[in-house]
Amino acid sequence: MRIASSPTVRIASGLLLTTLLGFVGYQVFRRRNPNAPEALLKHADEMAWLNNWIGAAPLYRSAEIQFTQQHLLSKALYARVSQIPARSESSTTFPQQIAVLRHDLTLPAAGDRETRLRILTILGMLEVNYDAGMARQTWAQVEQLALHRHHYLLATRAIGEQGIAAFLLGDIATAKKDVLKAWMIAKIDDPAAHIRYASMYGTGLVELGKYKEALGPLNEAIRVARKTPGVAYPTIAITSKIQALSGLGQYKAALALSASEMKRVSAYHLAGHLYDLHRVRAGVYQRMGNWDLAISDYQEGIQYAKQLSYWRGISETGGLLARAYLHQGALQPALTTINEAIDADKHIPDELYFVPRNLGIKADILARMGKVKESNDLYGKSADLLDALLSRVPTPMIERQLLNELSTVYAGYFASLRDQGRLADAFHVIERARGRIEAQALSHHDVIAPHAPSPAELHLSSLNVQLLDTDGSAARGRILDAIYSTEQQIGTDYKDIDTPPDPVPLNKLQQDLRPSELFVEYVLGEPESYALAVTRSAVHSYVLPPKPQLEEEAAQYRSELIKGSADWPLAQQLFDGLLGGIPEYKTKDDLILVPDGKLDLLPFAALVDSGRYVAVSHTVSVAPSGTVLGLLRHRNIDSTHSGPSYLGVAAWVSRPPPVTMIASIRRAISGPDRRELVALPESRNEVETIATDFAPPKTVLLGTQATETNFKRLPLDQYEVIHLALHGYADPEFPDRSALVFAPETPPIDDGLLQVREIRQLHLNADLVTLSACDTGVGPVGEEGVANIENAFIDAGAQSVVATLWQVDDAATAQLMIDFYRHLARGEAKADALREAQLDSLKSGQAPYFWAGFELDGEPSGSLFHRTSADYSLRSSTQ
């Protein structure tokens, strides 16, 4: 009986065979006449395999002439079509070249399997730059024929190219899977493909605004190119690196790299590369505020794209140029340009990525021209298309990144509807983006069945342990690279179940609000920002200062607080800009805020109103969105206990190092490094003292027992209060790595890092989760919200989460937490209890650094202790 092996097995087993046969064949080739057509073809193929098509073209031309003279028509056709990539950017347009190749497939000479495979390969290369739907089909044919011909590495490349096409078609989950598969295999024995897919993956990260993360794969591509003789210049990686450097504010380096690359490419008259360079250099100038030079470069780039009938380039850069014109107030040129971009989209109807953005830009232009109905129609279509694009992303983090990249669609639509007085519709639009990920998680909060860790998950845990125990920067760098590669291999079924719920209607949100509550949703923008103020009885919208001003002031004030000082004039100025112009603030006591952008990291309680902190007069809580607040308020917390059940964890309780070694002990680490995990001596007293507020059942994990493994083994969905006094690690660049740090264990079953991606998979039923650790409310921010540990616990099912916005002092934290639970035990609502604990700290003379960094996210109302005459607190009854 014969057993057929899978394509994956055949690819893997064929890698070694390919390498050996390639070496033997090369030695035989060297003994032949180097000018014979077969030898020329062999040498050219070797160069082309390294993507050096320009260098291979003269050899293919000589081989074509000789094969034609010998009447070897299939080989002559093979050699002829192989010259096309070298001239694809400097002669005829993509449509003409594609038409020629499709005609070539009908020729009798194309009946030869190798020749047909070469035609399809080059056809796929051109179609990726023309129409992703066509390219995806062609590369699927290449994959099948390459497998049949035992060209396993080419088959792997075909999988990667299908992934690139999938990304352009909006199927990001498939894109990630296919490109990563090709990339991992290419690392073994295909340096040209290694360069290609590292470059493309880095480019995708740049598109999503992940500039620092993108430098990893981009530098990897450049590094491999430098050490591989004969390989083509890594133009894609270089171009994307320019964008990444610009995104990181390294303008001088970005412009220097642009100039060097422009000089090199101009010598070859490569229109496609020149298009890319003008586009990315324009982006650098734009970030620098030099709009005239940016517009000039965008215009040049579009001309090169038109020369090639490169529709995707016309669409992408046309949108960027239209925005630049808008910034200059040139409405008619902006409209003309965006119309050209939208017309280009029609030539590639299957590609979705730039369409919502372009429609949103045109809608903005029309709104400024006073064409309200047309603008509304386009905004609606744009938002619907963006929803369709978001439905096909593989992870919450990528969805958050994509929302951030294209969120101007929702924000622009909100502003337009707000200006029309349609506040309910404006609220509905912005809520389609705000808190979307948390709302999805709460709407599909099903129990995840226990499962054995995958090999990738086990390897990742091992790497994390190595990183904790490694000191040298070079060694840590290598481990971080391995962690990054392993993270990309961990799959998810996220989009199989998580579809966003409909946004809560504005009138329903009003009904859910209590008489004392004021709900404020911020929408930052230019030239104006907005605050939507909602109470039970009224809804009003207020104009605020522009986004750059508010974010700069917020960042400056936060920095002052972290340093232990307080800039009262700046605090008053921020109050005036964010709350002072809202009359409802004076009549309501309880604030529920939905921040935007960098306001997510601002402690509103520490703003100053006429000489006193906001916390003195108001409770302050935050929520990811009005929809999330509504879901939390209508969610049933199952409980089988007469009183709240408590879980307290304190891992780092041993004696601290001498005082001379560290001025104060803070609950944070600057990166996963075991040396920085100093003891938190007050955490034990904190957890144990708080435990006395609760009657059984309660669980306390201390010291060596407070491991990640022991924590995960507990019936976490049975605890109503979870208090974690741990070290916290916030990674703004790789937010899924942000973690709570548990005690090490021997042997290490888990790595001790409860990371964001793991927290989301927990099934909680907690009324309150308190993260008495540093930076748990910190993460990368955008219009769609902040990606952090705090929101991950909301995703996991917590009703409310208390978290921190900066590194916190151990002793002061312990005291504030003890006071917080003392007030809870007296029957106070959660937001009230936190405010009272903060006021206790303020009255004791402590600066805002010690108390303002604590915030409550989620449902602020409700008491943990429902019986006031005989509460469960053993501690509070004696105080």
Side-chain angles (χ1 to χ4, degrees):
M1 180 176 70
R2 281 192 280 179
I3 302 176
S5 61
S6 69
T8 302
V9 173
R10 294 202 302 272
I11 290 174
S13 62
L15 291 176
L16 179 61
L17 181 61
T18 300
T19 303
L20 292 174
L21 291 179
F23 177 77
V24 173
Y26 180 72
Q27 298 305 314
V28 173
F29 157 71
R30 295 293 293 174
R31 298 191 186 99
R32 296 178 179 173
N33 177 8
N35 294 319
E38 289 84 0
L40 291 171
L41 196 67
K42 174 77 172 177
H43 190 192
D45 280 348
E46 290 172 345
M47 297 177 72
W49 184 249
L50 295 174
N51 287 331
N52 188 0
W53 294 94
I54 293 176
L59 301 180
Y60 280 128
R61 175 59 179 159
S62 297
E64 178 195 359
I65 293 171
Q66 293 187 54
F67 283 134
T68 302
Q69 292 171 348
Q70 296 173 13
H71 300 289
L72 298 173
L73 299 184
S74 290
K75 291 186 175 181
L77 178 59
Y78 180 104
R80 174 170 65 78
V81 300
S82 297
Q83 299 167 56
I84 290 177
R87 61 174 185 263
S88 63
E89 296 183 14
S90 56
S91 58
T92 55
T93 64
F94 286 139
Q96 291 173 328
Q97 294 169 352
I98 289 170
V100 168
L101 286 167
R102 290 197 173 278
H103 176 263
D104 287 340
L105 286 171
T106 67
L107 299 175
D112 176 78
R113 294 291 184 180
E114 291 296 324
T115 300
R116 187 171 191 82
L117 182 58
R118 174 52 60 99
I119 296 171
L120 287 170
T121 299
I122 295 172
L123 180 62
M125 291 168 59
L126 297 181
E127 288 175 340
V128 163
N129 293 314
Y130 179 72
D131 185 294
M134 294 166 58
R136 196 174 191 178
Q137 295 178 13
T138 298
W139 282 111
Q141 294 180 59
V142 172
E143 179 190 359
Q144 294 304 313
L145 186 52
L147 285 172
H148 183 73
R149 303 292 299 169
H150 308 294
H151 297 315
Y152 300 116
L153 289 177
L154 178 57
T156 301
R157 287 189 180 188
I159 293 171
E161 297 301 320
Q162 290 174 72
I164 293 170
F167 179 86
L168 295 167
L169 293 169
D171 187 356
I172 299 175
T174 299
K176 180 180 180 181
K177 174 177 65 70
D178 287 350
V179 171
L180 284 174
K181 181 177 182 180
W183 186 7
M184 294 303 116
I185 293 177
K187 287 184 177 184
I188 301 173
D189 191 35
D190 191 355
H194 185 174
I195 295 165
R196 164 79 169 165
Y197 299 120
S199 299
M200 296 306 295
Y201 197 81
T203 299
L205 292 172
V206 168
E207 290 293 336
L208 295 173
K210 303 293 290 179
Y211 304 117
K212 188 174 180 181
E213 183 178 349
L215 286 177
L218 295 176
N219 285 331
E220 177 182 326
I222 295 167
R223 194 165 53 244
V224 173
R226 285 175 179 168
K227 70 179 184 181
T228 305
V231 78
Y233 191 81
T235 301
I236 295 174
I238 295 290
T239 304
S240 294
K241 184 174 180 178
I242 294 169
Q243 291 178 277
L245 291 172
S246 175
L248 293 170
Q250 300 177 29
Y251 304 127
K252 186 176 180 180
L255 288 176
L257 191 55
S258 297
S260 172
E261 182 69 356
M262 190 78 75
K263 182 178 179 181
R264 187 193 72 83
V265 171
S266 296
Y268 293 99
H269 307 290
L270 301 176
H273 290 176
L274 287 168
Y275 154 76
D276 268 332
L277 285 169
H278 281 291
R279 174 180 59 84
V280 299
R281 190 173 67 178
V284 180
Y285 286 136
Q286 182 173 315
R287 287 178 179 274
M288 295 172 67
N290 195 330
W291 290 92
D292 290 338
L293 287 179
I295 287 173
S296 177
D297 260 338
Y298 283 139
Q299 290 170 336
E300 287 286 331
I302 288 176
Q303 291 308 309
Y304 282 115
K306 288 180 177 178
Q307 177 182 324
L308 296 167
S309 297
Y310 181 29
W311 306 118
R312 188 183 310 129
I314 297 169
S315 170
E316 177 182 10
T317 306
L320 297 172
L321 178 57
R323 276 184 179 169
Y325 280 135
L326 265 181
H327 185 272
Q328 300 290 73
L331 296 183
Q332 193 56 53
L335 182 60
T336 301
T337 301
I338 201 64
N339 281 336
E340 289 183 355
I342 292 171
D343 286 341
D345 288 327
K346 296 174 183 177
H347 290 273
I348 44 176
D350 292 331
E351 296 190 18
L352 189 58
Y353 188 77
F354 296 114
V355 178
R357 184 204 65 176
N358 287 344
L359 292 177
I361 292 170
K362 183 173 181 179
D364 186 9
I365 297 168
L366 293 175
R368 297 190 193 196
M369 288 180 163
K371 301 179 180 180
V372 176
K373 185 179 185 309
E374 293 177 62
S375 173
N376 287 344
D377 290 343
L378 280 177
Y379 268 131
K381 185 182 295 185
S382 176
D384 289 343
L385 288 171
L386 183 50
D387 282 345
L389 183 61
L390 291 167
S391 71
R392 292 185 282 178
V393 297
T395 67
M397 192 53 56
I398 291 178
E399 182 173 14
R400 199 182 293 277
Q401 292 165 3
L402 195 59
L403 269 167
N404 188 38
E405 179 69 17
L406 298 175
S407 61
T408 52
V409 170
Y410 295 113
Y413 198 6
F414 170 90
S416 177
L417 292 169
R418 180 259 176 201
D419 290 344
Q420 299 168 48
R422 298 169 56 184
L423 296 185
D425 292 334
F427 175 76
H428 178 88
V429 165
I430 203 65
E431 286 282 317
R432 289 170 72 172
R434 295 287 170 79
R436 179 187 179 103
I437 294 163
E438 290 76 17
Q440 288 171 191
L442 290 171
S443 298
H444 303 277
H445 190 55
D446 302 323
V447 177
I448 299 175
H451 66 284
S454 69
E457 289 171 329
L458 290 172
H459 185 49
L460 184 60
S461 292
S462 174
L463 290 169
N464 283 331
V465 171
Q466 292 178 43
L467 186 66
L468 281 167
D469 294 327
T470 301
D471 297 337
S473 58
R476 286 173 65 84
R478 287 191 294 272
I479 296 171
L480 284 169
D481 288 343
I483 286 174
Y484 182 81
S485 296
T486 306
E487 284 174 334
Q488 308 314 308
Q489 299 172 45
I490 296 177
T492 177
D493 295 327
Y494 167 70
K495 295 310 298 181
D496 291 341
I497 59 172
D498 288 3
T499 54
D502 291 333
V504 61
L506 184 56
N507 61 353
K508 182 66 172 64
L509 175 66
Q510 289 184 267
Q511 294 170 17
D512 288 339
L513 293 176
R514 291 165 174 79
S516 63
E517 291 177 337
L518 168 61
F519 174 93
V520 183
E521 183 151 4
Y522 292 97
V523 181
L524 301 189
E526 294 186 72
E528 297 174 333
S529 299
Y530 306 97
L532 190 67
V534 184
T535 66
R536 281 185 67 90
S537 59
V539 180
H540 295 100
S541 175
Y542 301 99
V543 176
L544 308 179
K547 176 178 180 177
Q549 176 186 331
L550 289 174
E551 290 198 325
E552 181 180 354
E553 291 174 356
Q556 182 181 344
Y557 184 55
R558 182 175 183 272
S559 176
E560 291 295 320
L561 293 179
I562 292 173
K563 287 188 266 187
S565 59
D567 186 334
W568 282 62
L570 181 57
Q572 180 69 60
Q573 186 173 327
L574 271 167
F575 173 84
D576 293 340
L578 294 169
L579 291 170
I582 301 176
E584 293 89 339
Y585 172 82
K586 298 178 181 179
T587 61
K588 303 297 178 183
D589 297 327
D590 302 314
L591 301 180
I592 303 174
L593 308 176
V594 179
D596 187 13
K598 293 182 181 178
L599 297 185
D600 270 299
L601 304 181
L602 176 68
F604 282 80
L607 300 186
V608 172
D609 175 19
S610 302
R612 65 177 184 172
Y613 291 112
V614 167
V616 173
S617 57
H618 290 71
T619 68
V620 180
S621 65
V622 298
S625 68
T627 301
V628 171
L629 180 65
L631 288 170
L632 292 172
R633 290 201 156 168
H634 291 277
R635 177 170 166 259
N636 293 322
I637 297 293
D638 298 327
S639 176
T640 58
H641 307 298
S642 57
S645 50
Y646 171 76
L647 167 61
V649 181
W652 306 94
V653 298
S654 59
R655 182 171 299 176
V659 175
T660 55
M661 293 178 60
I662 185 167
S664 64
I665 298 171
R666 297 180 177 181
R667 301 187 185 194
I669 52 177
S670 59
D673 187 336
R674 191 87 68 189
R675 295 175 304 167
E676 299 182 16
L677 299 176
V678 299
L680 303 173
E682 297 298 327
S683 61
R684 179 181 193 127
N685 176 56
E686 173 186 330
V687 167
E688 291 185 325
T689 301
I690 291 169
T692 64
D693 288 324
F694 297 86
K698 53 188 173 184
T699 303
V700 175
L701 297 178
L702 297 174
T704 57
Q705 294 301 307
T707 65
E708 182 185 4
T709 298
N710 287 342
F711 176 76
K712 288 180 176 178
R713 284 174 175 169
L714 293 172
L716 296 177
D717 61 335
Q718 297 301 308
Y719 293 99
E720 292 177 70
V721 177
I722 299 176
H723 186 93
L724 305 175
L726 301 166
H727 278 295
Y729 168 58
D731 192 326
E733 187 61 31
F734 301 93
D736 271 4
R737 294 182 191 170
S738 298
L740 296 173
V741 187
F742 286 76
E745 53 188 305
T746 305
I749 300 174
D750 285 298
D751 54 27
L753 300 175
L754 186 66
Q755 295 180 314
V756 163
R757 62 180 178 82
E758 299 174 286
I759 295 169
R760 289 197 195 100
Q761 296 178 22
L762 300 177
H763 185 72
L764 305 182
N765 204 27
D767 202 345
L768 174 66
V769 172
T770 303
L771 305 176
S772 184
C774 293
D775 291 331
T776 46
V778 175
V781 296
E783 287 78 355
E784 80 300 333
V786 60
N788 56 19
I789 298 173
E790 177 181 354
N791 279 347
F793 274 98
I794 295 286
D795 294 351
Q799 191 79 349
S800 308
V801 180
V802 172
T804 57
L805 295 173
W806 51 68
Q807 295 184 14
V808 289
D809 176 83
D810 181 44
T813 296
Q815 186 58 53
L816 190 143
M817 287 291 106
I818 290 170
D819 290 344
F820 171 49
Y821 280 89
R822 174 167 52 84
H823 286 287
L824 285 172
R826 292 174 176 174
E828 296 176 15
K830 288 171 283 188
D832 290 317
L834 180 60
R835 171 175 170 263
E836 291 297 332
Q838 290 174 318
L839 291 179
D840 290 341
S841 178
L842 177 61
K843 291 172 185 176
S844 71
Q846 290 188 328
Y849 158 76
F850 293 97
W851 56 266
F854 293 90
E855 70 173 9
L856 188 146
D857 190 354
E859 169 57 84
S861 62
S863 172
L864 299 181
F865 297 87
H866 304 296
R867 286 188 278 174
T868 57
S869 59
D871 67 38
Y872 302 100
S873 175
L874 304 179
R875 172 167 59 100
S876 60
S877 61
T878 65
Q879 296 181 355

